[in-house]
Amino acid sequence: MLIRVFVILLISALLGIGTATFRGLPWKPDVNAMAQRAALGDAVERRQKELRASVGVNLDQFKALIAQGAVVIDARAREDYEKAHLRTDFGAPVLNVEPEHIGENLNRLNELLGQPLVLYCNSDTCELAEMLYIRLEENGFSGMKIFFPGWEGITAAKLDTVAGPDRWTGSTGVGQPPAGEENADPSDSGASETQTGEAEHE
Amino acid sequence: MNEMAPPRGDMNLIGVASRVGVALILLAAALGKIELPQNFAEEVAAYRVAPVAWVNAIAYLLPWLEVVLATSLITGVWRRESRLIVLVLLVGFTGLKIYSQVAGLHISCGCFSGTFAFLSKIFEGPRGIALNLGLLALVATDFYSDARRNAVASRTDKS
């Protein structure tokens, strides 16, 4: 029996190793990023009650903020964002900023200082948006809001979504409908690329 | 034979239903994790019980173990061994859920991601612990039905 248990574990391990190798996934995690995230996790734990009570917005408020020109930041992992993320009515940018990668994003984020920002991540239990909130605060941002239902709330409310990477590098499209995007049809077959075409408008 | 016990055929049916149920849950849990391993790695890390250096390895290997176990439960190949591993895994997962509840960790349970992420909500918090106990009960039912079948078979052989 023990041999069979060992064989089952071995087959699983080989399948796992094969998949990771085939997909080129790293075996060693980015320990620094994870340590940073753990520290942020502690910070979130300390401020969770306060943040949930003071900066959370519901679906209607979320939509209203977007309509008023707030910039939306998706704090989920890049792969998730690229698979699908929120698409705003006027094609205004929806950025992807993972909390531990804020440093790499500061140049473009600094263009948003003073702008209303709304953050979201996967779901109500996801802490990435809160982590990003704290990191943004550390970098001089204030007045951000968090849509706590996150991606689950967005899909449940059937808001427009789009696939593709985040290529936004400047303030084009922030707070105003970019030319030619007003009547963008979300069901358009090219929609999966148009959201990230923000950079192309520059 | 105990007259109060359900007939052998019914026990078999209950056993099959139990293990297919557990196998389907395992498959749903595994496929989303294979789809988005980095997500799962982060969820494993959020529990803060495994060394950080191990989380990627756990994220790559555990879903495949779930697939192999589910396949074994459905096909019946090395079912006893698979059931034993499933039992150990479920006890471990339930323990982790209880720990996260007691420690007040506001984290995703790490049960499902990707296509099956919608199931995560159902398996979170006290309800998730109850559901895990339910799965453990299903595995125990399969154990029991198998043991009964073997006992009856050996008695038949002797007579």
Side-chain angles (χ1 to χ4, degrees):
Chain A
M1 188 178 194
L2 271 178
I3 292 174
R4 287 182 179 182
V5 168
F6 178 74
V7 172
I8 289 172
L9 296 176
L10 186 68
I11 291 170
S12 311
L14 289 175
L15 286 167
I17 291 167
T19 311
T21 310
F22 179 71
R23 290 170 68 175
L25 301 168
W27 276 98
K28 273 198 165 179
D30 185 345
V31 177
N32 283 339
M34 281 195 162
Q36 215 178 67
R37 189 168 284 194
L40 270 173
D42 291 339
V44 167
E45 228 166 274
R46 282 194 298 274
R47 294 189 55 191
Q48 201 149 49
K49 273 190 186 161
E50 168 219 327
L51 289 179
R52 285 188 176 250
S54 60
V55 301
V57 291
N58 62 28
L59 181 65
D60 289 335
Q61 293 166 324
F62 183 51
K63 286 198 230 173
L65 279 166
I66 295 169
Q68 288 160 22
V71 174
V72 182
I73 304 184
D74 184 326
R76 296 176 302 154
R78 188 168 55 89
E79 306 90 74
D80 291 348
Y81 174 93
E82 290 181 359
K83 227 175 139 189
H85 55 269
L86 178 74
R87 181 185 195 276
T88 58
D89 282 349
F90 299 117
V94 174
L95 278 66
N96 178 218
V97 181
E98 294 176 64
E100 70 270 26
H101 294 148
I102 194 165
E104 303 149 33
N105 286 282
L106 270 182
N107 274 347
R108 59 183 194 147
L109 283 173
N110 280 336
E111 292 199 33
L112 302 173
L113 266 169
Q115 286 275 350
L117 303 177
V118 200
L119 324 176
Y120 75 82
C121 58
N122 286 308
S123 68
D124 194 48
T125 53
C126 168
E127 292 180 341
L128 294 173
E130 287 150 293
M131 289 178 179
L132 182 61
Y133 182 98
I134 291 170
R135 294 303 317 270
L136 285 169
E137 243 183 12
E138 289 167 2
N139 284 281
F141 288 80
S142 60
M144 293 86 65
K145 299 288 179 193
I146 299 178
F147 178 54
F148 282 107
W151 181 245
E152 274 184 15
I154 288 168
T155 50
K158 295 189 169 57
L159 300 185
D160 285 346
T161 61
V162 69
D166 172 14
R167 293 200 204 101
W168 188 79
T169 53
S171 59
T172 308
V174 173
Q176 57 185 359
E181 289 267 326
E182 289 93 334
N183 298 318
D185 177 5
S187 62
D188 190 301
S189 58
S192 67
E193 292 304 320
T194 53
Q195 169 69 36
T196 53
E198 295 132 9
E200 290 154 28
H201 287 294
E202 292 189 77
Chain B
M1 188 196 290
N2 181 358
E3 284 178 14
M4 294 301 286
R8 194 178 152 194
D10 288 356
M11 261 337 276
N12 275 350
L13 198 66
I14 293 169
V16 170
S18 303
R19 65 175 165 268
V20 169
V22 173
L24 290 179
I25 296 279
L26 282 175
L27 274 181
L31 295 179
K33 292 172 195 163
I34 291 170
E35 192 184 335
L36 297 170
Q38 214 47 53
N39 257 21
F40 182 46
E42 279 163 20
E43 286 165 347
V44 172
Y47 276 100
R48 296 175 210 171
V49 290
V52 174
W54 293 11
V55 297
N56 278 14
I58 293 171
Y60 303 153
L61 303 185
L62 189 61
W64 280 108
L65 178 60
E66 290 173 333
V67 169
V68 172
L69 294 174
T71 311
S72 164
L73 287 180
I74 291 171
T75 60
V77 178
W78 294 0
R79 200 170 64 215
R80 263 179 353 132
E81 291 77 8
S82 295
R83 213 167 31 197
L84 185 70
I85 302 173
V86 169
L87 195 73
V88 172
L89 283 181
L90 281 175
V91 169
F93 293 159
T94 311
L96 280 176
K97 279 186 180 180
I98 293 171
Y99 158 75
S100 75
Q101 200 67 25
V102 171
L105 300 177
H106 196 76
I107 56 173
S108 162
C109 76
C111 316
F112 302 90
S113 14
T115 313
F116 297 95
F118 67 97
L119 287 171
S120 257
K121 265 262 179 288
I122 305 169
F123 276 82
E124 267 160 15
R127 185 175 47 194
I129 295 169
L131 284 171
N132 264 33
L133 293 174
L135 287 176
L136 275 168
L138 286 179
V139 177
T141 306
D142 185 32
F143 256 121
Y144 176 70
S145 86
D146 232 16
R148 271 189 61 82
R149 201 177 52 226
N150 290 340
V152 172
S154 68
R155 226 172 293 157
T156 312
D157 286 347
K158 276 179 195 165
S159 62

